[in-house]
Amino acid sequence: MTTFMELWLEAAHEAYALRAQLAHLEDAWLRAEADADYWYIQACNSNRPAAPR
């Protein structure tokens, strides 16, 4: 029979693993946002008419 302490330790281990996954997903999200911003600015700059001389 599983003891309360074993269940608690298993839950703590799962929580730790989920926090690590969440941190990884947050980093990936921030990189994707930065990439999207970069390419949006590149697209806007390439469609901008040249400044008159």
Side-chain angles (χ1 to χ4, degrees), residues 1-39:
M1 183 175 192
T2 304
T3 66
F4 176 77
M5 183 59 79
E6 289 170 336
L7 290 173
W8 187 86
L9 288 173
E10 184 179 342
H13 176 73
E14 289 294 323
Y16 180 81
L18 288 173
R19 281 194 300 271
Q21 285 180 324
L22 179 58
H24 176 73
L25 291 173
E26 287 173 337
D27 288 345
W29 180 268
L30 292 174
R31 283 193 308 274
E33 279 186 328
D35 287 349
D37 290 345
Y38 172 81
W39 289 112

Side-chain angles (χ1 to χ4, degrees), residues 30-48:
L30 292 174
R31 283 193 308 274
E33 279 186 328
D35 287 349
D37 290 345
Y38 172 81
W39 289 112
Y40 176 77
I41 291 168
Q42 293 298 316
C44 289
N45 287 339
S46 67
N47 292 330
R48 207 163 97 196

